[in-house]
Short mmCIF file of all heavy atoms in Angstrom, two decimals:
data_model
loop_
_atom_site.label_atom_id
_atom_site.label_comp_id
_atom_site.label_asym_id
_atom_site.label_seq_id
_atom_site.Cartn_x
_atom_site.Cartn_y
_atom_site.Cartn_z
N PRO A 103 60.44 1.89 -23.15
CA PRO A 103 59.15 1.94 -23.83
C PRO A 103 58.79 3.34 -24.31
O PRO A 103 58.20 3.51 -25.38
CB PRO A 103 58.14 1.47 -22.78
CG PRO A 103 58.88 1.26 -21.54
CD PRO A 103 60.32 1.45 -21.76
N VAL A 104 59.20 4.36 -23.53
CA VAL A 104 58.82 5.72 -23.90
C VAL A 104 59.50 6.13 -25.20
O VAL A 104 58.89 6.73 -26.09
CB VAL A 104 59.17 6.70 -22.77
CG1 VAL A 104 58.74 8.10 -23.12
CG2 VAL A 104 58.51 6.28 -21.47
N VAL A 105 60.79 5.78 -25.34
CA VAL A 105 61.50 6.14 -26.57
C VAL A 105 60.90 5.42 -27.77
O VAL A 105 60.72 5.99 -28.84
CB VAL A 105 63.00 5.83 -26.45
CG1 VAL A 105 63.70 6.06 -27.77
CG2 VAL A 105 63.64 6.69 -25.38
N MET A 106 60.56 4.14 -27.58
CA MET A 106 60.01 3.40 -28.71
C MET A 106 58.65 3.97 -29.12
O MET A 106 58.36 4.13 -30.31
CB MET A 106 59.92 1.92 -28.36
CG MET A 106 61.31 1.35 -28.12
SD MET A 106 61.39 -0.42 -27.92
CE MET A 106 61.32 -0.96 -29.59
N VAL A 107 57.83 4.31 -28.13
CA VAL A 107 56.55 4.93 -28.44
C VAL A 107 56.79 6.27 -29.15
O VAL A 107 56.11 6.61 -30.12
CB VAL A 107 55.72 5.13 -27.15
CG1 VAL A 107 54.57 6.08 -27.39
CG2 VAL A 107 55.21 3.80 -26.64
N GLY A 108 57.78 7.02 -28.66
CA GLY A 108 58.10 8.30 -29.28
C GLY A 108 58.48 8.14 -30.74
O GLY A 108 58.01 8.90 -31.60
N GLY A 109 59.32 7.15 -31.02
CA GLY A 109 59.72 6.91 -32.40
C GLY A 109 58.52 6.59 -33.29
O GLY A 109 58.37 7.13 -34.39
N VAL A 110 57.63 5.75 -32.77
CA VAL A 110 56.44 5.39 -33.55
C VAL A 110 55.55 6.61 -33.77
O VAL A 110 54.99 6.82 -34.86
CB VAL A 110 55.66 4.26 -32.83
CG1 VAL A 110 54.32 4.04 -33.49
CG2 VAL A 110 56.46 2.98 -32.86
N LEU A 111 55.44 7.47 -32.73
CA LEU A 111 54.61 8.66 -32.85
C LEU A 111 55.11 9.59 -33.95
O LEU A 111 54.34 10.05 -34.80
CB LEU A 111 54.60 9.44 -31.53
CG LEU A 111 53.50 9.11 -30.53
CD1 LEU A 111 53.67 9.98 -29.30
CD2 LEU A 111 52.14 9.33 -31.14
N VAL A 112 56.43 9.89 -33.95
CA VAL A 112 56.95 10.80 -34.96
C VAL A 112 56.76 10.20 -36.35
O VAL A 112 56.36 10.88 -37.30
CB VAL A 112 58.45 11.11 -34.74
CG1 VAL A 112 58.90 12.21 -35.66
CG2 VAL A 112 58.73 11.48 -33.32
N SER A 113 57.02 8.90 -36.44
CA SER A 113 56.88 8.23 -37.73
C SER A 113 55.44 8.34 -38.23
O SER A 113 55.19 8.68 -39.39
CB SER A 113 57.29 6.77 -37.56
OG SER A 113 57.13 6.10 -38.76
N THR A 114 54.48 8.05 -37.33
CA THR A 114 53.07 8.14 -37.73
C THR A 114 52.73 9.56 -38.16
O THR A 114 52.04 9.77 -39.17
CB THR A 114 52.16 7.77 -36.54
OG1 THR A 114 52.71 6.66 -35.88
CG2 THR A 114 50.76 7.48 -37.01
N GLY A 115 53.22 10.53 -37.39
CA GLY A 115 52.95 11.93 -37.73
C GLY A 115 53.43 12.26 -39.13
O GLY A 115 52.72 12.88 -39.93
N MET A 116 54.66 11.85 -39.46
CA MET A 116 55.21 12.18 -40.77
C MET A 116 54.46 11.46 -41.88
O MET A 116 54.17 12.04 -42.94
CB MET A 116 56.69 11.78 -40.83
CG MET A 116 57.60 12.60 -39.96
SD MET A 116 57.46 14.36 -40.24
CE MET A 116 58.26 14.52 -41.80
N VAL A 117 54.10 10.20 -41.66
CA VAL A 117 53.39 9.46 -42.71
C VAL A 117 52.02 10.07 -42.96
O VAL A 117 51.60 10.25 -44.10
CB VAL A 117 53.28 7.96 -42.32
CG1 VAL A 117 52.36 7.24 -43.26
CG2 VAL A 117 54.64 7.32 -42.31
N LEU A 118 51.33 10.44 -41.87
CA LEU A 118 50.03 11.08 -42.03
C LEU A 118 50.18 12.41 -42.75
O LEU A 118 49.36 12.77 -43.60
CB LEU A 118 49.37 11.31 -40.67
CG LEU A 118 48.80 10.07 -39.99
CD1 LEU A 118 48.28 10.43 -38.62
CD2 LEU A 118 47.68 9.48 -40.83
N ALA A 119 51.24 13.15 -42.41
CA ALA A 119 51.44 14.45 -43.03
C ALA A 119 51.66 14.32 -44.53
O ALA A 119 51.29 15.20 -45.30
CB ALA A 119 52.64 15.15 -42.39
N SER A 120 52.29 13.20 -44.95
CA SER A 120 52.56 13.06 -46.38
C SER A 120 51.27 12.94 -47.18
O SER A 120 51.27 13.16 -48.39
CB SER A 120 53.47 11.86 -46.63
OG SER A 120 52.73 10.66 -46.61
N PHE A 121 50.16 12.58 -46.52
CA PHE A 121 48.88 12.51 -47.22
C PHE A 121 48.02 13.74 -46.95
O PHE A 121 46.86 13.76 -47.33
CB PHE A 121 48.10 11.26 -46.77
CG PHE A 121 48.74 9.98 -47.20
CD1 PHE A 121 49.45 9.21 -46.29
CD2 PHE A 121 48.66 9.55 -48.51
CE1 PHE A 121 50.05 8.03 -46.69
CE2 PHE A 121 49.25 8.38 -48.91
CZ PHE A 121 49.95 7.61 -47.99
N GLY A 122 48.56 14.74 -46.29
CA GLY A 122 47.78 15.89 -45.88
C GLY A 122 47.25 16.70 -47.05
O GLY A 122 47.89 16.82 -48.10
N THR A 123 46.04 17.25 -46.87
CA THR A 123 45.44 18.05 -47.92
C THR A 123 45.25 19.51 -47.51
O THR A 123 44.78 20.31 -48.29
CB THR A 123 44.07 17.50 -48.33
OG1 THR A 123 43.30 17.32 -47.14
CG2 THR A 123 44.20 16.19 -49.05
N ALA A 124 45.60 19.85 -46.29
CA ALA A 124 45.48 21.25 -45.86
C ALA A 124 46.61 21.54 -44.91
O ALA A 124 47.18 20.64 -44.31
CB ALA A 124 44.14 21.50 -45.18
N ILE A 125 46.94 22.80 -44.75
CA ILE A 125 48.07 23.16 -43.91
C ILE A 125 47.81 22.78 -42.46
O ILE A 125 48.73 22.46 -41.70
CB ILE A 125 48.40 24.67 -44.04
CG1 ILE A 125 49.73 24.98 -43.38
CG2 ILE A 125 47.34 25.55 -43.47
CD1 ILE A 125 50.87 24.93 -44.29
N ILE A 126 46.54 22.73 -42.05
CA ILE A 126 46.24 22.39 -40.67
C ILE A 126 46.59 20.93 -40.39
O ILE A 126 46.96 20.58 -39.26
CB ILE A 126 44.76 22.70 -40.33
CG1 ILE A 126 44.55 22.58 -38.83
CG2 ILE A 126 43.82 21.81 -41.07
CD1 ILE A 126 43.75 23.70 -38.27
N HIS A 127 46.53 20.09 -41.43
CA HIS A 127 46.97 18.71 -41.26
C HIS A 127 48.43 18.68 -40.87
O HIS A 127 48.85 17.89 -40.02
CB HIS A 127 46.76 17.89 -42.54
CG HIS A 127 45.33 17.72 -42.89
ND1 HIS A 127 44.92 17.30 -44.14
CD2 HIS A 127 44.21 17.90 -42.17
CE1 HIS A 127 43.61 17.25 -44.15
NE2 HIS A 127 43.15 17.60 -42.98
N LEU A 128 49.23 19.54 -41.49
CA LEU A 128 50.65 19.56 -41.17
C LEU A 128 50.88 20.04 -39.74
O LEU A 128 51.72 19.51 -39.03
CB LEU A 128 51.40 20.48 -42.14
CG LEU A 128 51.45 20.03 -43.59
CD1 LEU A 128 52.37 20.94 -44.38
CD2 LEU A 128 51.93 18.61 -43.72
N TYR A 129 50.10 21.08 -39.34
CA TYR A 129 50.24 21.54 -37.96
C TYR A 129 50.01 20.40 -36.99
O TYR A 129 50.75 20.20 -36.03
CB TYR A 129 49.23 22.65 -37.64
CG TYR A 129 49.47 23.96 -38.35
CD1 TYR A 129 48.43 24.83 -38.59
CD2 TYR A 129 50.74 24.33 -38.76
CE1 TYR A 129 48.64 26.03 -39.22
CE2 TYR A 129 50.95 25.53 -39.41
CZ TYR A 129 49.89 26.37 -39.64
OH TYR A 129 50.08 27.56 -40.29
N LEU A 130 48.92 19.64 -37.22
CA LEU A 130 48.57 18.58 -36.28
C LEU A 130 49.52 17.41 -36.37
O LEU A 130 50.02 16.93 -35.35
CB LEU A 130 47.14 18.09 -36.57
CG LEU A 130 46.03 19.06 -36.16
CD1 LEU A 130 44.69 18.55 -36.62
CD2 LEU A 130 46.04 19.26 -34.66
N CYS A 131 49.80 16.95 -37.59
CA CYS A 131 50.57 15.72 -37.72
C CYS A 131 52.04 15.96 -37.38
O CYS A 131 52.61 15.29 -36.54
CB CYS A 131 50.46 15.16 -39.13
SG CYS A 131 48.79 14.71 -39.54
N ILE A 132 52.65 16.92 -38.08
CA ILE A 132 54.06 17.16 -37.81
C ILE A 132 54.22 17.91 -36.50
O ILE A 132 55.05 17.56 -35.67
CB ILE A 132 54.71 17.99 -38.94
CG1 ILE A 132 54.54 17.29 -40.26
CG2 ILE A 132 56.17 18.21 -38.65
CD1 ILE A 132 55.16 18.04 -41.40
N GLY A 133 53.42 18.95 -36.32
CA GLY A 133 53.60 19.81 -35.16
C GLY A 133 53.29 19.11 -33.86
O GLY A 133 54.17 18.92 -33.02
N VAL A 134 52.04 18.69 -33.70
CA VAL A 134 51.64 18.17 -32.39
C VAL A 134 52.13 16.74 -32.19
O VAL A 134 52.87 16.45 -31.24
CB VAL A 134 50.10 18.25 -32.23
CG1 VAL A 134 49.68 17.66 -30.91
CG2 VAL A 134 49.64 19.68 -32.34
N ILE A 135 51.74 15.85 -33.11
CA ILE A 135 52.12 14.44 -32.93
C ILE A 135 53.63 14.29 -33.00
O ILE A 135 54.25 13.63 -32.16
CB ILE A 135 51.43 13.56 -33.98
CG1 ILE A 135 49.92 13.72 -33.90
CG2 ILE A 135 51.81 12.11 -33.80
CD1 ILE A 135 49.17 12.91 -34.92
N GLY A 136 54.22 14.91 -33.99
CA GLY A 136 55.68 14.83 -34.13
C GLY A 136 56.39 15.42 -32.93
O GLY A 136 57.36 14.84 -32.41
N GLY A 137 55.91 16.56 -32.45
CA GLY A 137 56.54 17.20 -31.30
C GLY A 137 56.48 16.33 -30.06
O GLY A 137 57.46 16.19 -29.33
N PHE A 138 55.31 15.72 -29.82
CA PHE A 138 55.18 14.81 -28.68
C PHE A 138 56.15 13.64 -28.80
O PHE A 138 56.81 13.25 -27.84
CB PHE A 138 53.74 14.28 -28.58
CG PHE A 138 52.88 15.06 -27.63
CD1 PHE A 138 52.43 16.31 -27.98
CD2 PHE A 138 52.57 14.55 -26.39
CE1 PHE A 138 51.65 17.05 -27.10
CE2 PHE A 138 51.78 15.28 -25.51
CZ PHE A 138 51.32 16.53 -25.86
N GLY A 139 56.21 13.10 -30.00
CA GLY A 139 57.12 11.98 -30.22
C GLY A 139 58.56 12.36 -29.93
O GLY A 139 59.30 11.59 -29.33
N LEU A 140 58.96 13.55 -30.35
CA LEU A 140 60.34 13.96 -30.11
C LEU A 140 60.59 14.19 -28.63
O LEU A 140 61.68 13.91 -28.13
CB LEU A 140 60.65 15.24 -30.89
CG LEU A 140 60.72 15.08 -32.40
CD1 LEU A 140 61.08 16.41 -33.05
CD2 LEU A 140 61.73 14.04 -32.81
N ALA A 141 59.57 14.71 -27.92
CA ALA A 141 59.73 14.88 -26.48
C ALA A 141 59.92 13.53 -25.81
O ALA A 141 60.73 13.39 -24.89
CB ALA A 141 58.51 15.59 -25.90
N PHE A 142 59.19 12.51 -26.30
CA PHE A 142 59.33 11.18 -25.74
C PHE A 142 60.68 10.56 -26.06
O PHE A 142 61.05 9.52 -25.54
CB PHE A 142 58.22 10.26 -26.25
CG PHE A 142 56.87 10.55 -25.69
CD1 PHE A 142 55.77 9.84 -26.10
CD2 PHE A 142 56.69 11.56 -24.76
CE1 PHE A 142 54.52 10.12 -25.59
CE2 PHE A 142 55.44 11.85 -24.24
CZ PHE A 142 54.35 11.12 -24.66
N ASN A 143 61.42 11.20 -26.99
CA ASN A 143 62.77 10.72 -27.29
C ASN A 143 63.80 11.43 -26.44
O ASN A 143 64.77 10.84 -25.98
CB ASN A 143 63.10 10.98 -28.76
CG ASN A 143 62.77 9.80 -29.62
OD1 ASN A 143 63.42 8.78 -29.53
ND2 ASN A 143 61.75 9.94 -30.43
N LEU A 144 63.61 12.74 -26.26
CA LEU A 144 64.66 13.55 -25.64
C LEU A 144 64.83 13.23 -24.17
O LEU A 144 65.93 12.89 -23.71
CB LEU A 144 64.31 15.03 -25.84
CG LEU A 144 65.29 16.03 -25.27
CD1 LEU A 144 66.61 15.91 -25.97
CD2 LEU A 144 64.74 17.44 -25.44
N GLN A 145 63.71 13.32 -23.41
CA GLN A 145 63.82 13.16 -21.96
C GLN A 145 64.39 11.82 -21.54
O GLN A 145 65.32 11.75 -20.73
CB GLN A 145 62.42 13.31 -21.32
CG GLN A 145 62.28 14.53 -20.49
CD GLN A 145 61.98 15.69 -21.35
OE1 GLN A 145 62.80 16.07 -22.17
NE2 GLN A 145 60.82 16.28 -21.20
#
Side-chain angles (χ1 to χ4, degrees):
Chain A
V104 182
V105 174
M106 297 188 80
V107 165
V110 170
L111 269 180
V112 189
S113 178
T114 318
M116 292 306 287
V117 170
L118 285 176
S120 80
F121 293 103
T123 51
I125 191 93
I126 190 135
H127 294 164
L128 294 187
Y129 291 154
L130 287 174
C131 297
I132 303 180
V134 178
I135 302 179
F138 264 74
L140 291 182
F142 288 177
N143 267 291
L144 181 63
Q145 248 82 296

